[in-house]
Structures are given as C-alpha cells and as structure tokens.
Amino acid sequence: MPNVTTPQLTAQKASFILVGFMTLLHLVLAFNVELGGDEAHYALYGLMPDWSYFDHPPMIGWLQIIPMWLAPYDWSARLIPIALYAILNYLLYQITIIFFNENNTDTKWKGFASLVVLNTSLILSLMGMAMLPDNPLMVAVLALVLVTHKLLHSNEIKYWLLLGIFVGLAALSKYTAVTVIVSLFLILLIERKWNWLTSKGLWLAIIVALILISPILYWNAIHDWASFIYQIDHGTKSSEWRLSRLLQTQGIQFASYTPFLFIFGWWMMLKPSNYKNQNARLLLLFSLPITGLFAWGSGFEKSLPHWVSLAWVLLIPIIVNFLWQIRHKTWVKVVSGLHIVLMGIAVLVIHSLLFKPWIAFPDHKNPMQGDYGWPQASKTATELQRELSQNPNDFPLFVSNWSYASHLTWYSRPQPVYITSGKQTQFEFWFGKPKAGMNGLLVSPHYEDNPPEVGTVNHFESCKKLKQEDIEEADAIIVTYNYYLCHNFISEPTNLPGLVKPNAN
C-alpha cells in the first residue's frame, strides 16, 4: 500500500483557523446584534463626515464614511472594525516571530500563542467587532513598532517615511497617541540613537506627521480649540487624587483583560531582565507611557478599560516569550491550560449573550441592559411623536446623555436628538443646543432618574409620563423605557467653545 502522510498542522494554519473563526463569529453577530452606544456614535460620524470631531480625531469617522454611504445599517458599521481586528492579529503575530526569533518552528508557534492570548482576552475579543478609536490606534502603533524596530538597525529613508505616516495615523485615531511621541523620545535616549537628531529622515517624518494631523488642527482652529480644551479638562476636573479610584480601575482591568494577561503583564513590566533585551525593551517603552498615563490619571477619574488596550496588546509577545522559555514547568502548563479553557468558554458565552440574552438574570439586572432595546425604543418614540403632532419638530426627541443620544439618533435618523445637560458633546455641533421654551419627547431608560429632573437649567419645566415599555428576554425584563411629554425647556446662555452664541435679541 502506498504511504499516506497525515497533513501536519502548522503554526500558520492554526493562526489562520483561529483568526478565521473569530472573524466569522464577529460577522454572524454583526448581522444580529444592535449597535452599542459607542458604535452608534461613530457610525453617525460616518454619516456626517467632518475634518475632525469634538470628542475624537477624525479617523474613526473617516473609516465609516464608505460603509455608511453604501449601506447605513448595523452590520455595515462593524465591517471596518472586524477587518482591523484581523489586521491586528496579523501584526501581533509578525511582531512575536520577528522580535523573539529562535530560527526554528517554535518561533511561529509563539506567534500563534500570542493570538491565543489576544483572542481569549474578554475585552479585546469584543473590541474585534465594535468600532472604537482604539481599533485603528492599535493597528497604527503595532505597525509603528515594526518600523521603529527596523530603524534601530537601519537608517533608510523609507522607514522614516513610514514612521511619519504611522505616527500621523495614530494621532488621527486617538489623542492618547501623544504617548507614542514620549515612547520614541525614550527610545532615542535609551538606545543612544543620537544620529537620529541629524538625520534628514527624522525631519521628513515630522513633516509627514504634521501634514497628516492638519485636519485636526484646522477643525479646532475654527471651533475655538474645543476638542483640545475638552481633552485637557477630561479627567483633571477632580482636584483630589485617590488611591481607591486607581485600585478600582485596576480591578476592572483585571477582569476585562483576564487575570492571566493582567498578572503576567504587570510581571513583565516589573521584571528587570526584560529591559536588557532590546526587542522586549522596545515593546515596553511603547506600553509603559500608556500604562503610566492612565494609572496615574485614574486616581483623578476612573479610566474605562479599553483606554489601555494598546498597552496590554504590546505586552502579549513578551508574556508569550517568557512562558515559552519555561513551558515545560508544570505550573506553566496548568495556568496556561486553565486560561485557554476557561477564558475560551467565557469569550464564547459573552458573544452568545450578545446574540441572545439566554441567561435568566433578575429583572433589570442583565449586564447587557445599557445596549439593549434601543431600536424598539426609537420606534415607540417616533410613533408617540406622530400621535402628538403631524410635525415631529413640534416634539423633538430628548435624552439625558450623549450615549443614549447616539442610540436614539442612529435608530430614529434623520431627525435630531437633544440632550438635557449643560455638558458639551458632539451633538451640539450637529444639532445645536436646545432652545429655551422648546417642548419635547424625553426617552429615559429605567437606570436613569425617573421621573426626570424638572424646573432647573438645561431641563424642562415639567414632564408627564406618556408610556412605560418593558423589553423582555428569557422571561425577564432586561430594560424598561419611559417616555415623557415635556414642556418649556429652560436653557442658559451658550458659553461652550466652538459653538455660535445665541443672538441677544
């Protein structure tokens, strides 16, 4: 009989299967799950493109322009983040096998191991289908890390050009890309690359980066630097630094990124020997400024877990390389195996809950309640508008914050949605501030103040409940929406940067 050889599973094939599975999973959910608040907000960016935006640089909106132009639906808003996540997997694989190359097949399996850690991280796997500024930021910075690695060994002008491009793209993605400049400066000092200062390539990179970020500067220049003022104020309004806030933020990261990634990540940052290896040091110098910025800042205001996603992704190759060297130890096998099994199941369960909330939580206790039921709430609100008047402008839609406004605007477009708050948001740039004396239909989920606040500035003089609607699944109430007919909005003079002040007459 002829010899039959069994096809061998290679690291590349295993990586392709893993990324392909996650991509397919995200695509299935894209067609069956309503948009979250952030997703709806950035989809609206794509519908209303601009040079930049109040709360973020423009990349997050620019990437959504074509999907929103071709097919402005929930699923199309997820195509770009799903593609970016696949690219992120590829870049992480490349960084792992290039930075920790052992010139054998084990190196490529380390690349696969990095993808396993990435895709078994709860928040990172979820970010693979939800558009956030961090998605293009992570892709741009991981590409920048590869280019910087090249520049440490070569002074070719093409790498300087790419450096400028990826710095510019990172800055167009998120304002925290400022940490990239800090990282590059630290690399220059620690690696003693003094020749960079006299290199024509450096100045080419600076010029390219400045050209790329010019839309941000232009938008802010014509809007009284509103975005910059917001970013400076954001997270610094509390005058008191509290350790409790920092610890709470770290606790949330512990759960969001999994104990495995969190504990080993901090271990790698604190392990002195990692700073002796140039490649590990390079990754640490890109991750530490982000970690430090948000660790310190969270003492003033608790940070959201995805704000530090870039730092944790950059630490994955170092973690994998460390554990790979001691992979024969029993505790490494046990810890790694438990992480893969438990967190792999957890990732699948969380994704399944997005598809259908099948676990019977008590009424109003479902963790998905904040992003659930908005299509129905928008439908009910527009029906109530028609019952009240032939003209929806007689009773425009109101909510209490920007996240609810994102949901409601997306599902009730093209009509405007106003916010009962004095805080400045992107919605004032789109629709203006609500005018004094306006009447409106206020939509309020159960986890907000019900009945709503009345009789104060930036609220209505009075509100009357028209309807209460329960959204149920698995024999439990997930969320309850309340609809109020409100009269006589009480406004204050416009004093927000970037907005046109009302006529005194």
Side-chain angles (χ1 to χ4, degrees):
M1 294 181 64
N3 292 329
V4 178
T5 58
T6 303
Q8 185 177 8
L9 181 66
T10 64
Q12 296 97 317
K13 289 181 181 178
S15 300
F16 182 82
I17 292 170
L18 176 58
V19 176
F21 172 78
M22 293 302 296
T23 301
L24 180 61
L25 176 61
H26 289 152
L27 284 172
V28 170
L29 291 177
F31 283 87
N32 293 278
V33 179
E34 66 179 272
L35 296 187
D38 285 338
E39 291 181 282
H41 194 59
Y42 305 132
L44 293 170
Y45 276 17
L47 285 175
M48 295 178 275
D50 205 341
W51 290 106
S52 191
Y53 302 90
F54 168 69
D55 39 5
H56 288 293
M59 181 62 74
I60 196 76
W62 291 355
L63 289 172
Q64 293 287 43
I65 291 174
I66 294 179
M68 292 301 99
W69 176 64
L70 292 175
Y73 304 112
D74 288 5
W75 60 266
S76 60
R78 293 189 166 121
L79 296 181
I80 297 298
I82 291 172
L84 288 174
Y85 188 65
I87 296 171
L88 178 68
N89 276 264
Y90 170 77
L91 291 171
L92 183 64
Y93 179 90
Q94 290 298 319
I95 286 175
T96 305
I97 65 174
I98 291 172
F99 281 34
F100 302 104
N101 186 2
E102 296 179 350
N103 294 316
N104 56 41
T105 56
D106 284 350
T107 296
K108 292 181 179 179
W109 280 110
K110 279 195 277 187
F112 171 72
S114 286
L115 301 191
V116 171
V117 176
L118 173 68
N119 288 282
T120 53
S121 168
L122 301 180
I123 189 170
L124 292 172
S125 63
L126 288 172
M127 288 171 65
M129 63 170 281
M131 184 62 113
L132 293 168
D134 307 85
N135 297 38
L137 175 70
M138 288 190 289
V139 169
V141 174
L142 261 65
L144 175 64
V145 168
L146 286 169
V147 170
T148 306
H149 180 261
K150 289 286 187 181
L151 280 172
L152 288 174
H153 305 92
S154 169
N155 200 38
E156 291 185 53
I157 201 72
K158 65 179 180 180
Y159 295 128
W160 285 111
L161 177 61
L162 289 171
L163 182 84
I165 290 173
F166 289 124
V167 168
L169 293 177
L172 286 170
S173 300
K174 195 170 183 180
Y175 285 114
T176 51
V178 67
T179 60
V180 166
I181 305 303
V182 177
S183 297
L184 291 171
F185 181 71
L186 290 174
I187 292 166
L188 183 150
L189 291 178
I190 293 172
E191 305 298 337
R192 298 180 181 180
K193 287 292 182 179
W194 312 119
N195 62 308
W196 284 3
L197 297 175
T198 57
S199 171
K200 294 179 181 178
L202 174 63
W203 304 107
L204 172 64
I206 292 172
I207 292 170
V208 169
L210 288 174
I211 292 172
L212 286 173
I213 68 170
S214 60
I216 302 174
L217 301 175
Y218 171 73
W219 186 93
N220 274 276
I222 63 175
H223 290 93
D224 298 333
W225 309 102
S227 191
F228 292 161
I229 293 171
Y230 167 73
Q231 294 297 331
I232 292 170
D233 288 344
H234 191 49
T236 61
K237 290 187 176 180
S238 175
S239 59
E240 183 182 359
W241 191 92
R242 292 182 183 176
L243 179 62
S244 60
R245 292 195 190 105
L246 183 150
L247 294 176
Q248 287 174 12
T249 299
Q250 293 299 311
I252 293 171
Q253 291 183 33
F254 177 87
S256 300
Y257 290 94
T258 72
F260 180 92
L261 182 52
F262 183 88
I263 292 172
F264 281 112
W266 274 105
W267 187 352
M268 295 303 99
M269 284 188 282
L270 298 174
K271 193 170 183 287
S273 61
N274 281 330
Y275 294 88
K276 297 178 181 179
N277 178 288
Q278 187 183 64
N279 290 336
R281 185 167 64 239
L282 178 62
L283 291 168
L284 287 165
L285 289 176
F286 272 102
S287 63
L288 284 173
I290 307 166
T291 305
L293 173 66
F294 287 110
W296 177 254
S298 63
F300 294 100
E301 180 184 41
K302 285 188 289 185
S303 301
L304 295 178
H306 66 270
W307 292 354
V308 288
S309 55
L310 173 59
W312 292 110
V313 169
L314 289 168
L315 290 168
I316 289 175
I318 309 175
I319 296 169
V320 167
N321 184 62
F322 168 70
L323 293 176
W324 195 267
Q325 307 308 319
I326 54 174
R327 63 187 181 278
H328 300 298
K329 293 189 176 182
T330 302
W331 72 266
V332 174
K333 295 178 181 178
V334 172
V335 170
S336 300
L338 284 174
H339 167 78
I340 292 170
V341 173
L342 295 179
M343 291 303 103
I345 293 172
V347 166
L348 294 176
V349 168
I350 290 176
H351 281 73
S352 72
L353 287 173
L354 290 174
F355 184 82
K356 185 177 179 63
W358 52 272
I359 296 179
F361 290 91
D363 289 352
H364 297 150
K365 298 297 182 182
N366 194 297
M368 308 296 177
Q369 63 184 359
D371 290 325
Y372 198 82
W374 283 102
Q376 180 59 43
S378 302
K379 179 182 177 183
T380 301
T382 53
E383 288 174 351
L384 289 171
Q385 279 182 311
R386 285 194 291 268
E387 292 176 9
L388 292 168
S389 173
Q390 295 286 339
N391 185 0
N393 292 329
D394 292 340
F395 298 95
L397 299 177
F398 279 80
V399 288
S400 60
N401 74 26
W402 72 268
S403 182
Y404 310 153
S406 299
H407 286 288
L408 199 58
T409 304
W410 173 254
Y411 289 111
S412 62
R413 61 188 190 278
Q415 64 172 308
V417 174
Y418 299 98
I419 300 173
T420 58
S421 170
K423 294 181 180 179
Q424 188 170 18
T425 71
Q426 178 63 42
F427 288 87
E428 285 75 53
F429 292 89
W430 283 334
F431 308 131
K433 287 181 64 66
K435 297 177 182 178
M438 287 179 68
N439 301 321
L441 183 68
L442 177 67
V443 181
S444 179
H446 73 267
Y447 39 83
E448 278 297 297
D449 291 336
N450 288 285
E453 181 179 343
V454 293
T456 58
V457 173
N458 294 312
H459 294 84
F460 291 97
E461 183 179 338
S462 64
C463 289
K464 175 185 176 182
K465 183 183 285 189
L466 294 178
K467 185 173 182 177
Q468 179 174 304
E469 183 176 30
D470 296 331
I471 309 295
E472 298 185 29
E473 194 71 57
D475 297 323
I477 300 173
I478 296 180
V479 57
T480 297
Y481 288 99
N482 301 282
Y483 306 88
Y484 297 90
L485 175 60
C486 299
H487 292 92
N488 192 19
F489 187 82
I490 306 169
S491 67
E492 61 181 349
T494 301
N495 57 358
L496 301 176
L499 296 180
V500 178
K501 294 179 172 58
N503 193 313
N505 296 326

